[in-house]
């Protein structure tokens, strides 16, 4: 058993309280490799922002759980080396699919876990979430539950249709499970292809697809039922069209990729939504930079020469999200 506190990590409890009170959201950035981790840590230090390092079950398998433990410990040390005296870094399991997965992460030093039972019948979701909470709280690890289903595909998480969270269920769910935060469905979606062209409208000026708006009425109803309770939005990448264009220009084939407009995320961040998940945007920034470098320098074979620019591109993206979308800068 490895306690996250010995790694220098924190859980989400206090940072969420401050975020709800302050009207901003904590960035939850998924990472799979060293370059992403470096970019996240540098961006959080540069902007003086707390940050959640998210690892999906697939990313954990890819990276190896032992290496992840040391990467998280290294992230804290790196932040201090960069000049941040008291970094607030969370290591969080994204979309845990079983009690066993969550327990394994807690035992290996994660400071926060999500148990996603949203695909289960309601009472089964409650029972599974409660079981994870009871185990996690023994070690002061915070737990995120989920009500409602997001559409889209990201790693091993996949659903064809979304189902909005039912406001009439949230008090019962939170009370029975004891979860520390609640992921809801109000129209966000996983992946870079969040909406079909049929769901979108066409911008007459740019010719680009415009996604349907988020269901802020559902969010407001949930806030009314759970005043001050930490709410989480998954599937909140904006799918920057500049990066999509760059990928396509240099040999990619991304058609009808569309995300959540940043102005809608800014609005959400000012509410009880205190954690916003972003994954696809960093993948796009990285892929666009790698494709551009290799296209312009086809003889290049040193990974540092194309992963370095990719890392810089991701750091720029993370800083933009922190300052211009989530508002979590200068909160350390």
């Amino acid at each position: 058993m490895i306690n996250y506190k010995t790694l220098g990590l924190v859980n989400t409890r206090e940072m969420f309280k401050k975020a709800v009170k302050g009207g901003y959201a904590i960035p939850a950035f998924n990472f799979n490799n060293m370059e992403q981790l470096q970019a996240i840590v540098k961006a959080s230090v540069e902007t003086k922002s707390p940050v959640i390092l998210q690892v999906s079950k697939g990313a954990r398998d890819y990276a190896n759980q032992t290496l992840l433990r040391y990467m998280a410990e290294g992230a804290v040390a790196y932040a201090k080396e960069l000049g941040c005296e008291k970094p607030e870094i969370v290591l969080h399991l994204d979309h845990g699919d079983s009690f066993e997965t969550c327990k394994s992460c807690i035992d290996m030093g994660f400071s926060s876990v999500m148990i996603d039972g949203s695909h289960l019948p309601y009472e089964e979701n409650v029972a599974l979430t409660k079981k994870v909470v009871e185990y996690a709280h023994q070690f002061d690890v915070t737990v995120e539950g989920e009500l409602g289903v997001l559409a889209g595909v990201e790693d091993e998480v996949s659903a064809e249709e979304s189902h909005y969270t039912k406001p009439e269920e949230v008090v019962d769910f939170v009370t029975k499970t004891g979860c520390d935060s609640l992921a809801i469905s109000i129209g966000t979606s996983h992946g870079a292809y969040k909406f079909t062209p049929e769901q979108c409208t066409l911008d007459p000026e740019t010719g680009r697809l415009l996604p349907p708006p988020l269901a802020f009425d559902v969010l407001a109803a949930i806030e009314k039922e759970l005043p001050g309770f930490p709410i989480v939005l998954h599937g909140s990448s904006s799918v920057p069209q500049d990066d999509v264009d760059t990928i396509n220009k240099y040999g990619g084939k991304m058609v009808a990729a569309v995300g959540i407009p940043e102005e809608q995320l800014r609005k959400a961040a000012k509410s009880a939504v205190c954690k916003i998940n972003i994954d696809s945007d960093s993948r796009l920034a990285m892929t666009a930079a790698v494709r551009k470098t290799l296209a312009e320098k086809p003889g290049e074979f040193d990974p540092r020469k194309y992963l370095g620019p990719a890392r810089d591109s991701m750091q720029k993206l993370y800083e933009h999200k922190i300052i211009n979308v989530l508002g979590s800068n200068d909160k350390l």
Side-chain angles (χ1 to χ4, degrees), residues 45-264:
V45 171
E46 285 292 323
T47 59
K48 298 181 175 63
S49 172
V51 70
I52 296 170
L53 303 174
Q54 287 204 153
V55 181
S56 67
K57 182 184 175 185
R60 187 171 179 245
D61 292 341
Y62 177 83
N64 176 269
Q65 63 176 6
T66 303
L67 283 175
L68 272 176
R69 165 200 167 184
Y70 288 104
M71 289 176 81
E73 188 174 20
V76 175
Y78 185 36
K80 291 179 179 178
E81 183 182 303
L82 291 172
C84 181
E85 291 184 14
K86 294 183 179 180
E88 293 181 10
I89 298 176
V90 175
L91 181 62
H92 175 77
L93 170 66
D94 190 24
H95 287 287
D97 62 349
S98 68
F99 171 78
E100 290 74 22
T101 296
C102 291
K103 180 182 182 300
S104 177
C105 287
I106 293 165
D107 292 348
M108 284 297 291
F110 279 61
S111 57
S112 177
V113 295
M114 178 204 183
I115 178 63
D116 183 1
S118 61
H119 58 288
L120 298 171
Y122 179 77
E123 292 300 334
E124 291 182 32
N125 186 3
V126 168
L128 176 60
T129 305
K130 182 181 180 182
K131 184 178 181 181
V132 171
V133 168
E134 288 175 345
Y135 185 77
H137 281 184
Q138 296 178 80
F139 309 103
D140 201 26
V141 171
T142 42
V143 178
E144 175 186 325
E146 180 167 354
L147 271 178
V149 178
L150 272 67
V153 178
E154 189 169 50
D155 282 1
E156 62 286 327
V157 181
S158 176
E160 290 186 6
E161 294 183 3
S162 64
H163 301 282
Y164 287 166
T165 302
K166 298 175 182 176
E168 63 270 20
E169 292 181 344
V170 296
V171 172
D172 183 70
F173 184 84
V174 167
T175 302
K176 286 181 176 177
T177 64
C179 65
D180 302 285
S181 60
L182 182 65
I184 63 170
S185 174
I186 59 169
T188 55
S189 181
H190 290 122
Y193 301 93
K194 298 183 184 298
F195 308 99
T196 65
E198 292 75 24
Q199 292 175 295
C200 301
T201 56
L202 202 64
D203 186 329
E205 293 184 10
T206 64
R208 295 191 187 277
L209 295 174
L210 299 175
L214 298 180
F216 282 102
D217 56 331
V218 175
L219 174 58
I222 291 169
E223 285 185 291
K224 186 177 179 181
E225 295 292 329
L226 287 173
F229 191 80
I231 301 298
V232 176
L233 283 189
H234 284 244
S236 297
S237 284
S238 299
V239 188
Q241 292 302 301
D242 286 350
D243 286 330
V244 173
D245 291 344
T246 299
I247 290 170
N248 290 339
K249 178 180 177 181
Y250 294 109
K253 191 177 181 181
M254 297 191 68
V255 180
V258 61
I260 309 299
E262 289 188 340
E263 59 268 22
Q264 294 194 43

